[in-house]
Amino acid sequence: MDNLIRTFSDYYNRPDFRKFQNTLAREVYETLGTSYSNSDGEVKMVTDMCSTIDGKAFEKLKFYTKKIHGTRSFVEFHNQDKPTTKELADMVIISVATKDREIIYEKTAFIQNKKEDTESVWKIDQDQLYLLHNFPTFKGKKGIFKRNFGDEVVFQNHSETLGNYGLFQNPGEMILVNALTVYKLQQGDKISLSDIRK
């Protein structure tokens, strides 16, 4: 783990890494800006963003992306006393650090993307928020879980950053907010930029 921290520390102090980071950020902004200005829907925005990031690399860092938006990640869980089926996420980020082919660090973040309904306001599906905030035991219903339908899945969420929202905003911004923050700050079934700024 010390080597991992040292490697990232070294990267952050190198101008060539900073340039790589800034270039990748600019490319993602340009992609989102183009999708947003073309009035593309949320699915197209996620698809384009994944395509922009996929295959990028800097020395030991490699980026691979796969969109799971749509029917690819539906799960069934209980919200209070009723069975509910919802999409787990539009995107998943899995960060893995390896040494000699052994995983020494792994972190997962599920991200549900939302395009603003009105200026700087996003409507939040409350059943999905319950899933991303609490991570109750669930079973796969469609898509990525097809090999183990019927198996119960249990996630631990110690960092409270396992479930997140990527809030798309004009002209091509994505605000990343964890589900706990959305739960605490939403007004009714909506969250606004002013709520988040609090």
Side-chain angles (χ1 to χ4, degrees):
M1 193 60 118
D2 288 342
N3 286 341
L4 175 64
I5 294 167
R6 199 172 304 116
T7 298
F8 276 113
S9 179
D10 290 345
Y11 282 168
Y12 279 113
N13 289 314
R14 288 173 49 183
D16 56 340
F17 175 74
R18 186 70 179 149
K19 184 177 179 185
F20 165 79
Q21 186 180 29
N22 290 341
T23 300
L24 181 56
R26 188 191 73 236
E27 290 173 1
V28 171
Y29 272 116
E30 287 171 355
T31 297
L32 290 176
T34 300
S35 290
Y36 207 103
S37 64
N38 289 340
S39 298
D40 291 339
E42 181 186 298
V43 177
K44 180 80 162 66
M45 293 179 74
V46 173
T47 302
D48 290 349
M49 184 169 54
C50 286
S51 295
T52 298
I53 297 168
D54 193 41
K56 297 291 192 288
F58 181 87
E59 294 183 4
K60 296 178 181 178
L61 292 176
K62 294 176 179 54
F63 297 86
Y64 305 97
T65 63
K66 182 112 178 135
K67 176 194 76 164
I68 60 170
H69 198 301
T71 60
R72 300 183 58 95
S73 67
F74 274 84
V75 299
E76 184 182 82
F77 57 96
H78 275 78
N79 185 354
Q80 298 176 358
D81 62 343
K82 65 180 190 294
T84 306
T85 299
K86 287 291 169 186
E87 183 181 41
L88 177 60
D90 296 325
M91 299 168 48
V92 59
I93 298 173
I94 303 172
S95 306
V96 179
T98 61
K99 182 179 179 186
D100 301 325
R101 296 182 173 254
E102 281 201 33
I103 295 173
I104 57 171
Y105 175 83
E106 184 174 21
K107 179 154 180 23
T108 302
F110 293 101
I111 302 171
Q112 182 62 35
N113 295 105
K114 294 286 176 198
K115 193 171 180 182
E116 57 192 345
D117 294 299
T118 57
E119 188 177 338
S120 300
V121 176
W122 299 267
K123 186 171 168 86
I124 304 298
D125 180 292
Q126 296 302 297
D127 285 327
Q128 192 168 47
L129 176 60
Y130 178 83
L131 171 64
L132 292 173
H133 171 236
N134 295 294
F135 278 94
T137 301
F138 64 80
K139 293 180 181 180
K141 295 298 283 183
K142 287 184 184 176
I144 59 176
F145 299 101
K146 65 184 172 194
R147 289 194 186 130
N148 53 355
F149 283 157
D151 290 351
E152 291 189 331
V153 178
V154 178
F155 281 116
Q156 294 183 347
N157 188 16
H158 297 299
S159 67
E160 297 181 342
T161 57
L162 183 59
N164 305 275
Y165 284 85
L167 305 175
F168 290 138
Q169 182 188 31
N170 190 33
E173 179 69 70
M174 186 180 96
I175 302 164
L176 185 64
V177 186
N178 72 29
L180 176 61
T181 300
V182 172
Y183 174 76
K184 287 180 177 179
L185 298 180
Q186 68 180 342
Q187 303 292 319
D189 64 352
K190 292 182 170 54
I191 190 163
S192 69
L193 185 58
S194 61
D195 294 330
I196 295 166
R197 285 182 170 158
K198 292 176 186 175

